Amino acid sequence: MFLPLTKQELRERGWDRPDFICVTGDAYVDHPSFGIAIVSRLLESLGYRVAMIAQPVSDADYLRFGAPKYGWWVTGGNIDSMVAHYTAAKRKRSDDAYTPGGKAGRRPDRATTVYCNRIRALFPDAQIVIGGLEASMRRFAHYDYWADTVMPSILVDSRADLLIFGMGEKQTEHIARELEKGVPAQEIRCKGVCYLTNQLGLPADAVSVASYAKVKENKLSYAKATRTEIEEQDAVRGRKIIQKQGDDCFLVQTEPMPPLTTEELDAVFALPFERMYHPSYEAQGGVDAIKEVEFSIMHNRGCFGNCNFCSIAFHQGRAVTCRSEESVVAEAEGFLKNPRFKGIISDVGGPSANFRRPSCKKQLSKGLCAERKCLAPTPCPALEVDHSEYLHLLRRLRGLPGVKRVFVRSGLRYDYMMLEQDDRFMRELLQYHVSGQLKVAPEHSSAHVLDCMGKPHIEVYEKFAERFYRLTKQVGKEQYLVPYLISSHPGSTLKDAVNLAVFLKKHRIRPEQVQDFYPTPGSVSTCMFHTGLDPYTLKEVFVPRSQEDKWLQRSLLQYYKPENRRAVLTALQRTGRMDLVGNGPNCL
C-alpha cells in the first residue's frame, strides 16, 4: 500500500494529519533505488504517520495535508535538479525520466532550496530536514557550474534546519525520535549531519576549512578546502569540519555516520516497498525511471574505486557494505509473485557491481587511506580481490525456479577483475550474465588524463579487452564491449583527444554515445575544472573551457561520423597531425 499522496488517501487511513511529510523533486516511486522511498518507509516502520508530496508547484500542493505534527523531510530527488534539467552544454533537456510522462520542467531549478523556502513561507515554525544527493553534495561552499560561481552551503540558501549527508537511515531514526520529543531540529546532533551555528556554538574538536568568502575569491583556498572535505569523509577517522558562511554564521559538519551493517541493510530492503510508481501517474504515461530498476537488485553500497568525477565517494562513502545472500535471494523470490515479472532480473549491482568486500582488513579499524586510492593509478598492495561470494550469489539467483536470466549491467570494475588470476568469475559472467554487450568505463587513453580522473591507465583496459574476447569465444557467444568515454575532462588537451581518437580507430571502437565532462557539485574533478588545480598536489591542470574546445574534443571521439568531419580536420590542423588525414589504415 502506497503512502498517502492525496488528502483523500490520508482520510482513508483514518489519519487527521501526518507526523512527517516527505517532499521530493521526483514523482512518487516507492522503490528502494529512490532515497525518499527508503526514508519514508523507514519512518513508517518506526510507527510514524508519513505522507508524500511529489513535485509541488502551487501553494495548494504544500498545504494539502496542513502542518505535519513533527517535521518535513525534503529532497530534490534522486539526482541534482540542475543535472536533471540541463545538459553538460547547459542546454535544457527535453525530457525527465523521473517525471510522469517524461515531461521536463516539472521541478524547479535547485529544487531543494525552492521547496524549503516555500515551506518556510507557508509554515514559519516548520522543522525542515534536507537530504539526498543535491543536499549532500552541496553541503559546503561549492562551485555551481550553471551559475559559474561559488555558492554557500545549501543550508544557507534553503533555510532548512538540518542537513543529512550520505546514506541517511541512522540519522533519520535519531532525528525523528528527537523531533518527537520536542527537540528543535537546529539543536539535534548526531553523526552524518550538518547544521548552522554561531561562534559560541562551535565544537572544539573540529578541523576548519577556508570560509565561503575566501573560497569564492581564492581558487587555491578552494582546492585546499576540497581536499580536506574529501579526506574527512571516512567513518573511522573522519573529523568534524567547520566552514564559516557569513557574519557569525558557521557550517558544522559532524563526523560521518558509519555505514549500515549487513543486518541493518537487509532490514532496509525488507521494508514493504511497492516497487512501482504511484498508480495516479498511469494516466499520465507512467514514470520511465522505474523501467531500469523495477526488477533490478542492489546488493551493495559504497565504492572504493573513488573516481574523481563521481559523486559516490563523497555521498555514499568509499567503504563497501553489502546485503546478505539471503536478503538478495528473498528479493528475487518476491519478483516471482509479481505479475509484471517476465523472468528477467535486469541487474544485480550497485555503485560497483563486483565489490562485495572491504578493500582490505586495515580499513575496518583505521579507515580508508587518505593519501591514495585503492585501485588507481595502480592497485594498492594491500587490496584483497575475491569474486567468490558475488559469483555464488549470481549462481543462486539464476538457479531460482521462474528466473530465466540474471544480468549484470551496472558498474563492473574491469581493473578489479583483472587482478584475479583465474578466469572462473569472468567466464561465468560472460556465459550467463551479459546480454550481448558489456559496458565498462576506461574513460580515456592518455595516462595523465586518467590520473586526473583517478582511473587506471589504459593498458589495463587493453588487457581486459583481450581477455574478454578470448573468453567470449571460448563460451561460444558473440558479445561486445561498450566503453564509456568522457571528453573534455580536466587535464585533457586537444592533443590528448586526438590520441584518444587514434586509440579508438586502432581498436575498432565506434562509441555511439559520448559524455562531455559534467562539473557536478562536490567532486574532485569539478574542483579541478573551477580552480585549474589538482587539490591533492596543488599543481596546475589544463582545463578545456571554451565551447569550441569541447566541441572539437567531443567530435574526435566520433571521428567516423560525416557531420564531424569539419571539426576533426580543424583539430588535426591545430595539433599538427595532418598525417592522420587520408584513406590509410591509420588515418582518421
Side-chain angles (χ1 to χ4, degrees), residues 222-528:
Y222 187 104
K224 289 179 177 179
T226 295
R227 176 171 179 173
T228 300
E229 292 157 10
I230 295 286
E231 289 184 346
E232 296 300 331
Q233 301 314 305
D234 186 275
V236 176
R237 54 173 176 74
R239 297 170 290 177
K240 297 182 181 75
I241 303 177
I242 297 169
Q243 184 179 53
K244 187 176 182 180
Q245 299 293 311
D247 292 339
D248 205 24
C249 177
F250 296 84
L251 173 81
V252 178
Q253 176 187 276
T254 63
E255 303 92 336
M257 180 66 78
L260 300 186
T261 64
T262 293
E263 294 73 22
E264 289 168 337
L265 204 51
D266 286 354
V268 167
F269 281 84
L271 294 170
F273 300 102
E274 290 290 337
R275 304 187 67 87
M276 194 57 178
Y277 51 76
H278 191 275
S280 63
Y281 301 135
E282 200 64 56
Q284 302 173 58
V287 181
D288 285 345
I290 194 65
K291 293 177 181 177
E292 288 295 317
V293 300
E294 184 181 7
F295 298 115
S296 69
I297 297 175
M298 291 181 287
H299 74 91
N300 65 7
R301 280 184 180 175
C303 181
F304 55 76
N306 192 23
C307 300
N308 287 342
F309 50 78
C310 182
S311 64
I312 292 170
F314 200 49
H315 182 59
Q316 291 193 17
R318 292 167 62 195
V320 171
T321 56
C322 63
R323 298 165 60 188
S324 68
E325 284 192 13
E326 289 69 27
S327 172
V328 174
V329 170
E331 183 174 353
E333 289 174 335
F335 294 171
L336 302 174
K337 304 171 187 176
N338 190 322
R340 297 187 298 271
F341 185 60
K342 305 302 181 184
I344 309 297
I345 296 177
S346 59
D347 192 17
V348 183
S352 285
N354 50 327
F355 291 171
R356 285 281 295 175
R357 296 171 174 269
S359 55
C360 68
K361 291 185 176 66
K362 184 184 76 170
Q363 73 169 74
L364 300 176
S365 59
K366 296 185 178 180
L368 285 111
C369 298
E371 300 80 19
R372 70 154 296 157
K373 296 178 185 291
C374 299
L375 280 165
T378 57
C380 174
L383 180 66
E384 298 175 5
V385 182
D386 188 352
H387 285 97
S388 59
E389 191 176 314
Y390 187 43
L391 185 58
H392 188 262
L393 173 61
L394 293 174
R395 287 171 177 170
R396 286 188 66 180
L397 291 172
R398 71 176 187 252
L400 291 175
V403 172
K404 299 175 184 176
R405 295 295 303 272
V406 178
F407 292 122
V408 178
R409 287 178 170 150
S410 65
L412 279 162
R413 287 294 299 231
Y414 66 85
D415 48 342
Y416 185 75
M417 279 191 272
M418 289 302 292
L419 297 174
E420 203 162 48
Q421 296 304 309
D422 68 71
D423 292 335
R424 182 181 54 163
F425 170 71
M426 194 163 167
R427 188 186 302 275
E428 286 199 30
L429 176 75
L430 299 181
Q431 187 166 3
Y432 298 109
H433 304 292
V434 176
S435 59
Q437 296 180 336
L438 180 63
K439 296 178 180 179
V440 292
E443 309 294 8
H444 212 281
S445 61
S446 295
H448 68 273
V449 179
L450 291 165
D451 288 342
C452 289
M453 293 177 168
K455 297 286 289 186
H457 291 182
I458 197 61
E459 292 79 11
V460 181
Y461 172 79
E462 291 179 302
K463 291 176 181 176
F464 172 77
E466 185 279 326
R467 193 175 186 183
F468 171 90
Y469 286 111
R470 172 173 55 82
L471 292 176
T472 291
K473 185 176 181 180
Q474 288 179 13
V475 299
K477 299 270 190 173
E478 184 178 349
Q479 298 178 144
Y480 301 93
L481 282 176
V482 178
Y484 285 121
L485 301 164
I486 297 178
S487 64
S488 305
H489 187 279
S492 178
T493 65
L494 192 56
K495 183 178 179 180
D496 292 314
V498 170
N499 290 338
L500 178 55
V502 172
F503 173 86
L504 296 175
K505 177 70 180 290
K506 174 185 175 183
H507 291 274
R508 299 179 182 178
I509 298 171
R510 291 193 165 193
E512 287 301 314
Q513 292 182 318
V514 175
Q515 175 63 57
D516 261 1
F517 169 66
Y518 206 151
T520 54
S523 75
V524 173
S525 295
T526 298
C527 173
M528 293 182 189

Side-chain angles (χ1 to χ4, degrees), residues 66-77:
K69 188 174 182 180
Y70 301 127
W72 300 77
W73 302 79
V74 181
T75 177

Side-chain angles (χ1 to χ4, degrees), residues 97-110:
Y98 292 91
T99 295
K103 294 181 180 178
R106 175 71 187 190
R107 81 188 86 206
D109 288 355
R110 301 183 179 84

Side-chain angles (χ1 to χ4, degrees), residues 130 135-136 138-141 152-156 160-165 185-212 229 232-233 239-246 248-256:
I130 59 176
S136 189
R138 294 174 179 266
R139 59 191 186 266
F140 293 103
S153 166
I154 193 172
L155 264 177
V156 174
D161 297 295
L162 199 62
L163 182 155
I164 294 174
F165 68 91
Q186 282 188 330
E187 298 178 11
I188 295 173
R189 303 290 181 261
C190 65
K191 292 183 176 181
V193 300
C194 296
Y195 59 91
L196 297 176
T197 188
N198 58 27
Q199 193 159 7
L200 294 176
L202 293 177
D205 55 338
V207 58
S208 293
V209 296
S211 68
Y212 161 58
E229 292 157 10
E232 296 300 331
Q233 301 314 305
R239 297 170 290 177
K240 297 182 181 75
I241 303 177
I242 297 169
Q243 184 179 53
K244 187 176 182 180
Q245 299 293 311
D248 205 24
C249 177
F250 296 84
L251 173 81
V252 178
Q253 176 187 276
T254 63
E255 303 92 336

